[in-house]
Amino acid sequence: MAGYESYVVVHNIAKRHNVGTLARSATAFGVTELILVGRRDFNAFGSHGSASHVRFRHFHSLIEARNYLKEEKECDICGVEIAEGAAQVNDHPFKGNTAFLLGNEGSGLSAKEYEICDFFVYIPQYGCGTASLNVTVAASIVLHHFGVWAGFSERVRDGSKFIVADKPVRQGRRNFCAGTEESIVEERKLRKQSAENGFFDENGSETSSTDLLNGLFLDE
C-alpha cells in the first residue's frame, strides 16, 4: 500500500446497520481506521465478517476526533456533501492523508460537522431519480477514488474473488470499540446523568435515555 492513509468518521448516520456495511467498504478500499464518535457499541450487520479486519477508534466528540486526525495523523478532513464549493470526487482533489466525514442520509452534514472539515467533495450524478446516494454507497465511491489517487496496490485475486486475509485477533468485545480508561469513565458518567436527567445532544435538545443507548444509530 502507498504511503497515504484514509480514515472514515462515523457520526449521526441514520441506519444502524450502515456501520457494518461501511466496515466492509473500509476493508475493501484500504481504510486505516474507522472512527466512531459517540457510542462505542455498533451493529456489524452487513459487514459479512469484515468488521474484524478494520481498526476502530472511539471519541466522545467531533472536536476530539478532529484533534486526533489533525495533530496525530496529519489528516485533511474531507466532508462528503453536495455543498457549495465542493469538488467533484473524480477530480481527486486530495493532498495527503485524508479522513472522510459523510453526512446523515436525510439531513446531510450538520453545522458542527461542517466546522471540522478542511474541504468537500461530491459525487456527480447523471440520472434524475434520486436526490442523493445512500451513505454506504457514497463512502464506497469516495474511498475507491482515494485509493486510485493514492496508488494503493490491488489485492490478489483467486478466480472471481479477492483473497481474504486470515481473521485477526478480536479487538475486544464483539461489536464494541474499546476505549481508554478515561473514555469509559466518561461514558458511565453520561449514562448516569441520562438516567437521572435525560440526555442532551450536541444542540442542547433533550432526548430519551433510549436515544442515548442508540447514540450514533438514529433510525429514520
Side-chain angles (χ1 to χ4, degrees):
M1 191 173 290
Y4 298 114
E5 294 184 336
S6 62
Y7 298 77
V8 174
V9 181
V10 178
H11 179 250
N12 195 34
I13 64 171
K15 295 182 182 295
R16 298 180 186 186
H17 64 261
N18 278 342
V19 174
T21 311
L22 279 170
R24 188 177 185 182
S25 295
T27 59
F29 300 119
V31 168
T32 299
E33 287 182 344
L34 203 158
I35 295 173
L36 303 180
V37 181
R39 289 283 296 172
R40 287 182 290 123
D41 52 341
F42 60 93
N43 190 331
F45 177 83
S47 72
H48 294 268
S50 298
S52 61
H53 291 274
V54 64
R55 293 205 308 266
F56 288 82
R57 188 177 295 272
H58 168 261
F59 295 98
H60 282 286
S61 70
L62 285 169
I63 295 301
E64 289 176 334
R66 178 192 181 280
N67 291 343
Y68 165 75
L69 290 166
K70 299 294 289 183
E71 296 172 8
E72 295 190 32
K73 298 302 178 180
E74 298 181 342
C75 273
D76 293 322
I77 300 177
C78 175
V80 181
E81 182 79 329
I82 306 171
E84 184 177 353
Q88 293 187 9
V89 70
N90 41 292
D91 287 339
H92 296 173
F94 313 115
K95 298 178 180 178
N97 296 343
T98 304
F100 294 96
L101 177 59
L102 295 104
N104 177 282
E105 294 96 322
S107 57
L109 293 175
S110 69
K112 290 195 175 184
E113 290 168 336
Y114 263 93
E115 288 176 3
I116 72 167
C117 293
D118 298 302
F119 70 106
F120 300 87
V121 296
Y122 75 97
I123 301 164
Q125 294 184 188
Y126 309 107
C128 62
T130 185
S132 62
L133 296 172
N134 172 275
V135 65
T136 59
V137 174
S140 296
I141 294 171
V142 169
L143 292 172
H144 177 267
H145 275 286
F146 182 85
V148 171
W149 171 84
F152 289 175
S153 297
E154 184 178 332
R155 182 71 179 171
V156 176
R157 290 173 287 176
D158 181 11
S160 61
K161 300 284 186 180
F162 290 96
I163 295 176
V164 177
D166 292 336
K167 191 172 182 178
V169 177
R170 201 165 68 188
Q171 298 181 54
R173 199 174 83 207
R174 185 179 180 184
N175 300 351
F176 188 82
C177 180
T180 63
E181 182 178 352
E182 291 79 8
S183 69
I184 293 171
V185 170
E186 178 66 19
E187 184 169 355
R188 287 174 179 168
K189 184 190 301 181
L190 288 172
R191 287 193 187 196
K192 183 177 180 180
Q193 290 174 348
S194 72
E196 295 174 349
N197 304 317
F199 179 71
F200 290 84
D201 64 19
E202 289 183 317
N203 297 318
S205 59
E206 184 176 359
T207 59
S208 68
S209 57
T210 299
D211 290 331
L212 174 61
L213 295 176
N214 288 340
L216 297 178
F217 316 110
L218 303 176
D219 292 324
E220 289 183 326

